[in-house]
Amino acid sequence: MDSKVETKITSGRGIFWLIHFAALLVSLSCFAYGTTIYDSLPETIPTHWGAGGSPDEWEAKSFGTVFFPLMMGGGLSVLLALIAAVVPAMVPPETDSSDWELYRREGTIRGTVAALGWTSFLIAVLIGTLTVAGWRTPDHVPAGPALVMVALILGCLVLCYAAGARWARRTAERDGVRPTAEEQEEEKRWVGGILYNDPNDPHVLVPKRSGSGTGLTVNVGNRAGRTAVVVFLVVFVVLPAGFGVFQAL
């Protein structure tokens, strides 16, 4: 492992922290707005809304009942920032890593930190939007923003990892670092560096790519793997979204 190469490619990673800062800023802005209207809120306020957007639980007004969602969102943003801070330690480089592998690893780290940052930001926007809507129109809080945010978060995850992989390729090429023939073949078997794509491998779950942490990922190269991904999206995204729309009508 070349420490000079590793030091060189890690410079510039700090810009991704702006996204985490923006997430906290969203929560703080909503909190500041809440303090200006706190006295005008009714003494009994709704604290939970059903799938159709109508309130089904109420509590006496207090600092906790009014600002708890924002405090929860702020705490989540801090947690995701802490996870992002330890990501490099979670994917340590191999002792015999080639220069190309170091660039690829850095791309994965940047994609992960960016994905965590955008997830934090979008969740902060969602919680802030719903909280402010609960203050201003307590009789009905629309389910639309939640459904949109779920789709945006999933899209951001894919885009962030794809962008990280593209950064690794372009930066390595700019610096005169190119993968070996074996590394090029290995690169072709990964989508965005996170999903395995090998039609000759019958396994649905395979180990994550070296330098991408521990655990398993899905092989979308065979029919069973693609079916697993579709079932996951239907069960955890499409059906909940459809149910939310139905309840809101």
Side-chain angles (χ1 to χ4, degrees), residues 36-124:
T36 65
I37 65 170
Y38 181 84
D39 291 338
S40 64
L41 295 176
E43 293 304 315
T44 301
I45 61 172
T47 56
H48 185 271
W49 287 261
S54 300
D56 52 19
E57 292 183 15
W58 292 260
E59 291 187 25
K61 181 177 73 173
S62 68
F63 180 89
T65 56
V66 172
F67 294 106
F68 175 75
L70 294 178
M71 292 187 291
M72 181 180 65
L76 181 59
S77 293
V78 172
L79 175 61
L80 291 177
L82 291 175
I83 294 175
V86 301
V87 162
M90 295 169 63
V91 287
E94 302 291 339
T95 55
D96 57 347
S97 295
S98 67
D99 288 349
W100 164 251
E101 289 173 329
L102 291 177
Y103 279 88
R104 180 178 61 75
R105 170 181 175 269
E106 179 63 21
T108 300
I109 290 173
R110 291 181 180 230
T112 302
V113 174
L116 289 170
W118 282 110
T119 298
S120 177
F121 177 78
L122 291 173
I123 290 177

Side-chain angles (χ1 to χ4, degrees), residues 193-214:
I194 55 174
L195 291 178
Y196 193 57
N197 181 21
D198 187 355
N200 298 318
D201 188 338
H203 296 91
V204 176
L205 297 177
V206 297
K208 285 185 177 181
R209 194 178 192 183
S210 174
S212 301
T214 59

Side-chain angles (χ1 to χ4, degrees), residues 15-49:
I15 192 172
F16 294 103
W17 289 102
L18 293 176
I19 310 173
H20 292 273
F21 176 75
L24 284 174
L25 187 62
V26 169
S27 296
L28 290 174
S29 298
C30 293
F31 183 89
Y33 172 71
T35 60
T36 65
I37 65 170
Y38 181 84
D39 291 338
S40 64
L41 295 176
E43 293 304 315
T44 301
I45 61 172
T47 56
H48 185 271
W49 287 261

